[in-house]
Amino acid sequence: MCLLAALFTSPVVADEETGVTAFVNVNVVRPETNSIDESRTVIVTGTKITRIGAANKVSVPSDALVVEGEGRYLLPGLAEMHAHVPPAKLGREYAEDILFLWVTNGITTIRNMSGEPSHLELREQIASRQILGPRMYTSGPRFMGRRIKTPEEAGGIVDEQVAAGYDFLKVHMGLTRVAYDGVVAAAERHDIPVAGHVAPDIGLWRALEARQATIDHLDSYLRALVSDAADVSDLEDGLLGAPYTPHVDESKIAVVARATRDAGTWNAPTLTLAENFVGPYDESRPLTGAEYMPPKIVRSWVGLATVYQKSITDPEDAQRFLSYRKRLVKALHDEDAGLLLGSDAPQVFNVPGFSLHNELDLMVEAGLTRAEALTTGTLNPAVFFDAEDTFGRVKEGLDADLVLVAENPLQDHATLRNPSGVMLRGFWMTSEELQTGLELIAARYVTGD
Ligand SMILES: [Zn+2]
């Protein structure tokens, strides 16, 4: 049964134009300015925020659905900037479950990194509110491997993806320099962004020269930090460049950060991905939400992480690898290179939605303030997509993508893990409704298959 139908008796489209919701007496959170506007009333009409004012000044329309804020905090919905919407071959129900896991965690926008034709359809169904899901930007099918032999061939595929309506091009590992250059040239012709991995044949400097829109996972950065004196010609990239750790020249961290800023390239570091591979898992890094994933997938994650952890010969080096990744994030931040919140989910213990909270914590461990870390998932994605007039802040005229939480998230991110409710473009879901949806998903997997 469709999760949405099971959950909600009224369709998502009810009163889309005229329905009014009033959040009365809430503290409006502005991560982008590290500030709180206390005791506000926020009026939502249809899908948009239409009025924000002092709680004692704004009158609430008599037909409004009233959400009593009681001093709780209202912040903009979050964006997961490295998401993987499941492919059609894994079934429609699973894809809709994953979309719901994002929503329950306050995620109202996703950037889908491995698009396929079925995702174009999902993107439209979400936009037209036939199904419940975060606003989706999607790449086309990934450019990967050594199959593409000439720039013309690469350009032909780019033409097809642009014609199909994908939002950006995803470059993946194993891409040859010839293929990459072909993709980049064709992308320039179409003015469509290129984003994703940086294959060893490309390297950081070529990716920056090509003004790649995003580099994900801090791909190729460790390799670029290798000291000029070291000979690493026989090393392979391994896990995100981990084998280069002993050869890093720390003075290069600021250099690559500045070059990244100058190129205008953004980073979605997915810190949690490397942390999950290296482990260990404890209370400081909870692997929450596994009960909402198919056990088969969780078992495959355990397998991948176990294999990697067995390959670690020097645990201190593994920790140094993780700390270089955080220092890179801090340096990128300090040099004003753009950062985007992304965890890479579902992937190795990154349960969609839940994993983004871990990524937020890691951004803070890297040295960002809580407000700065939150901004990488609120305003920054809107700036990145040139959609500041659509989402990213609690502001009149913007889409009503909102999360209501009990505590001040600028003081403690943990409150974001248990929202009192989530509003998705004007559609309000209480924590009870979200919980019911989660229970329905968990019930699919209790048999252990
Ligand atoms: Zn990915």
Side-chain angles (χ1 to χ4, degrees):
M1 183 190 205
C2 169
L3 182 62
L4 185 65
L7 254 187
F8 307 108
T9 46
S10 58
V12 188
V13 288
D15 300 327
E16 185 181 338
E17 300 301 325
T18 57
V20 177
T21 306
F23 295 91
V24 176
N25 192 21
V26 289
N27 299 309
V28 171
V29 184
R30 306 197 178 285
E32 68 279 4
T33 51
N34 191 18
S35 63
I36 305 265
D37 293 346
E38 288 178 355
S39 306
R40 302 283 126 165
T41 284
V42 177
I43 306 282
V44 172
T45 309
T47 60
K48 302 280 184 191
I49 299 167
T50 46
R51 180 86 209 276
I52 305 172
N56 56 8
K57 295 243 173 68
V58 175
S59 57
V60 175
S62 58
D63 59 346
L65 167 70
V66 173
V67 179
E68 291 293 348
E70 293 164 338
R72 285 179 289 186
Y73 294 79
L74 193 68
L75 72 150
L78 299 170
E80 162 62 274
M81 292 297 280
H82 196 112
H84 288 279
V85 175
K89 66 173 188 222
L90 296 182
R92 177 63 178 226
E93 181 179 78
Y94 176 56
E96 290 194 22
D97 283 356
I98 295 296
L99 294 172
F100 185 77
L101 293 180
W102 277 312
V103 172
T104 56
N105 280 280
I107 290 149
T108 52
T109 299
I110 55 170
R111 187 174 66 130
N112 179 39
M113 299 304 288
S114 305
E116 59 163 46
S118 79
H119 297 159
L120 291 170
E121 194 189 331
L122 273 181
R123 186 185 65 186
E124 292 321 304
Q125 289 174 329
I126 291 168
S128 62
R129 302 160 77 84
Q130 294 167 57
I131 62 167
L132 187 76
R135 167 190 301 100
M136 192 202 298
Y137 293 89
T138 184
S139 76
R142 297 175 288 185
F143 287 85
M144 60 194 295
R146 304 189 165 263
R147 200 171 42 85
I148 302 168
K149 299 283 186 238
T150 66
E152 292 72 29
E153 222 181 306
I157 303 173
V158 170
D159 294 344
E160 281 169 28
Q161 293 199 5
V162 169
Y166 293 107
D167 299 300
F168 65 100
L169 310 169
K170 165 82 183 281
V171 283
H172 207 265
M173 297 310 282
L175 206 58
T176 60
R177 176 68 187 256
V178 155
Y180 180 81
D181 289 352
V183 170
V184 167
E188 271 169 22
R189 209 169 62 231
H190 289 289
D191 195 20
I192 185 170
V194 175
H197 290 262
V198 178
D201 278 10
I202 318 304
L204 180 66
W205 298 105
R206 172 61 187 136
L208 295 183
E209 181 191 49
R211 304 200 182 281
Q212 189 164 316
T214 69
I215 293 177
D216 292 66
H217 321 297
L218 296 173
D219 239 7
S220 80
Y221 275 88
L222 261 278
R223 176 81 171 82
L225 296 179
V226 168
S227 128
D228 297 335
D231 177 11
V232 293
S233 50
D234 59 338
L235 283 185
E236 293 200 7
D237 274 21
L239 174 73
L240 306 171
Y244 301 117
T245 301
H247 310 289
V248 163
D249 172 354
E250 297 183 8
S251 72
K252 290 190 174 184
I253 293 176
V255 177
V256 297
R258 275 197 288 278
T260 304
R261 187 248 349 258
D262 290 345
T265 293
W266 295 67
N267 270 272
T270 70
L271 291 172
T272 173
L273 184 66
E275 303 270 338
N276 288 353
F277 266 105
V278 172
Y281 316 111
D282 54 27
E283 311 76 57
S284 70
R285 189 92 64 239
L287 297 170
T288 46
E291 64 271 40
Y292 308 119
M293 293 300 294
K296 214 191 304 179
I297 288 183
V298 176
R299 282 197 296 272
S300 78
W301 291 348
V302 173
L304 283 167
T306 308
V307 167
Y308 183 73
Q309 283 160 24
K310 280 191 181 142
S311 79
I312 296 175
T313 49
D314 185 340
E316 267 176 44
D317 244 24
Q319 290 308 316
R320 195 144 26 114
F321 161 61
L322 297 179
S323 94
Y324 281 145
R325 291 175 58 78
K326 286 180 213 154
R327 285 178 61 182
L328 276 163
V329 166
K330 179 65 163 57
L332 288 164
H333 175 74
D334 289 346
E335 297 296 342
D336 236 358
L339 288 173
L340 298 166
L341 189 69
S343 69
D344 197 351
Q347 173 83 280
V348 192
F349 301 125
N350 281 335
V351 177
F354 300 86
S355 61
L356 202 66
H357 301 302
N358 295 345
E359 186 70 16
L360 265 177
D361 289 345
L362 286 163
M363 286 284 202
V364 173
E365 278 180 36
L368 274 65
T369 66
R370 288 197 171 76
E372 289 164 348
L374 262 177
T375 305
T376 68
T378 55
L379 182 58
N380 287 12
V383 172
F384 174 77
F385 287 121
D386 201 12
E388 281 175 85
D389 293 341
T390 307
F391 70 95
R393 280 170 290 178
V394 182
K395 189 179 169 209
E396 288 176 7
L398 267 54
D399 280 0
D401 287 341
L402 302 165
V403 185
L404 186 67
V405 293
E407 308 291 336
N408 180 354
L410 301 182
Q411 282 168 11
D412 185 5
H413 281 166
T415 190
L416 298 168
R417 292 178 186 266
N418 294 299
S420 307
V422 175
M423 177 168 265
L424 192 67
R425 279 170 298 139
F427 183 66
W428 173 243
M429 292 157 278
T430 64
S431 62
E432 291 77 19
E433 287 167 328
L434 298 173
Q435 193 55 42
T436 304
L438 286 177
E439 281 161 17
L440 284 170
I441 294 173
R444 304 195 204 288
Y445 303 126
V446 285
T447 56
D449 294 323

